[in-house]
Amino acid sequence: MLLRTRAPAKINLTLHVVRRRNDGYHDLESLVAFAGVADILDLVPDEPLALHISGPTADASGKLDDNLVLKAARALAERVPELKLGRFMLVKRLPVGAGIGGGSSDAAAALRLLAKLNTIDLADARLHEAARVTGADVPVCLHPRSKLMRGTGDRLGPHLAPRPLFAVLVNPGVHLETRAVFGKLGLKPGEDRSLHEHPLFHDDLDHASYFEAVGRGRNDMERAAGELAPVISDVLAALSRMQDCRLARMSGSGSTCFGLFGNRIAARRAAAELGRDHPRWWVTATVLR
């Protein structure tokens, strides 16, 4: 029986770079939400481990053997004796290398499917360890619900109550390497850049207070990414000009940006206008949860 799940886009509503550690990694604080747009992953059980990729952005997915879906499956197989595997079929709809965790979400989706096939609880430590060794953003994508992410992505807060945010996602077709953006940021080992504390998010916040707290956050990688890819500034400016756009910000290390709107109709209207004016950009209206 074929198993199927969605691998939704991960959006960093905030992204504070707290410090560069002496080991070269960076400690972050980030409020993460997940979009309604997603890749689709199927698993055909009882076949040798394999992966087939199709879809609009399949050609940009890179070498098959390097795909995080296979890496995650192999990592779990190393930790679970006699793990049942199968053939994965991935439909790529999300831009690649775009700051929205497409590959990480695909890997997390693979782990969820394997957990279902093998009757492994999603809280199983082996599942989370496989996610951690696969990639920094994979653990937060295992349960695709809004939460705070800290450290290198290894410290996750509890799931936050759903507060739908109406958004437009825009990617100008520029691939940015996260390593290059961190390099442009230029923090020295041990350097602390926590200019102010990250806003607090909890279930007692009403929708207006939640939105206001998002606005008080920032993306510390936005300027560095914009220097590497100036078109990011064009995207942010275009989003900001849209009627009823209340906040425009970059997600992750770029180059996807998002605009938050007051309602679904305003978001859809803005997406239609941006898509018409910039036909080479990937533009979609969605809901972040």
Side-chain angles (χ1 to χ4, degrees):
M1 180 180 66
L2 182 142
L3 303 177
R4 170 171 291 181
T5 192
R6 299 169 70 256
K10 173 189 67 67
I11 304 300
N12 298 92
L13 291 171
T14 65
L15 181 54
H16 293 200
V17 180
V18 178
R19 66 183 60 83
R20 182 179 177 184
R21 305 183 333 191
N22 289 323
D23 61 6
Y25 290 97
H26 293 75
D27 281 332
L28 311 173
E29 289 182 294
S30 178
L31 174 65
V32 172
F34 290 86
V37 291
D39 294 335
I40 303 297
L41 186 65
D42 292 336
L43 173 61
V44 182
D46 302 324
E47 294 192 14
L49 178 62
L51 172 64
H52 176 264
I53 306 176
S54 61
T57 60
D59 290 344
S61 298
K63 296 180 180 178
L64 202 62
D65 287 344
D66 296 334
N67 193 280
L68 294 184
V69 167
L70 293 177
K71 185 176 179 180
R74 290 166 180 148
L76 187 61
E78 291 174 359
R79 289 159 175 80
V80 179
E82 300 181 1
L83 183 75
K84 297 177 185 176
L85 295 167
R87 175 167 54 91
F88 289 100
M89 296 183 292
L90 175 63
V91 180
K92 284 296 297 181
R93 296 173 174 172
L94 301 176
V96 177
I100 54 176
S104 297
S105 192
D106 294 341
L111 291 173
R112 290 196 301 274
L113 289 177
L114 290 173
K116 183 174 183 179
L117 177 64
N118 290 272
T119 321
I120 298 172
D121 192 281
L122 289 180
D124 193 300
R126 297 170 298 178
L127 199 69
H128 287 264
E129 177 62 14
R132 186 190 66 79
V133 300
T134 300
D137 279 346
V138 180
V140 77
C141 296
L142 263 181
H143 302 269
R145 288 175 54 189
S146 180
K147 61 181 73 69
L148 284 167
M149 178 176 70
R150 295 184 172 91
T152 58
D154 56 326
R155 293 158 46 206
L156 303 178
H159 297 152
L160 295 169
R163 292 179 180 82
L165 298 175
F166 301 104
V168 174
L169 307 183
V170 181
N171 183 276
V174 173
H175 180 107
L176 279 179
E177 293 285 348
T178 300
R179 182 186 298 271
V181 180
F182 272 123
K184 192 69 175 178
L185 197 61
L187 271 65
K188 298 181 176 64
E191 183 176 351
D192 193 307
R193 286 280 296 274
S194 52
L195 302 179
H196 57 76
E197 292 185 1
H198 191 279
L200 296 176
F201 292 92
H202 49 79
D203 286 348
D204 291 336
L205 291 176
D206 59 26
H207 197 279
S209 299
Y210 181 87
F211 200 107
E212 187 271 337
V214 171
R216 286 190 283 108
R218 61 188 190 270
N219 184 337
D220 287 338
M221 303 182 77
E222 194 171 282
R223 178 178 295 181
E227 291 176 2
L228 292 171
V231 69
I232 289 173
S233 298
D234 298 335
V235 172
L236 291 170
L239 278 166
S240 297
R241 288 193 296 268
M242 293 296 101
Q243 184 178 352
D244 199 32
C245 181
R246 302 182 178 185
L247 173 69
R249 184 174 287 162
M250 188 182 78
S251 176
S253 57
S255 59
T256 301
C257 300
F258 62 89
L260 299 183
F261 292 79
N263 56 67
R264 190 187 304 269
I265 294 174
R268 288 178 173 174
R269 183 172 55 233
E273 184 175 341
L274 285 166
R276 183 180 64 248
D277 294 345
H278 304 277
R280 294 184 179 274
W281 291 358
W282 178 81
V283 181
T284 186
T286 189
V287 179
L288 306 180
R289 302 180 187 275

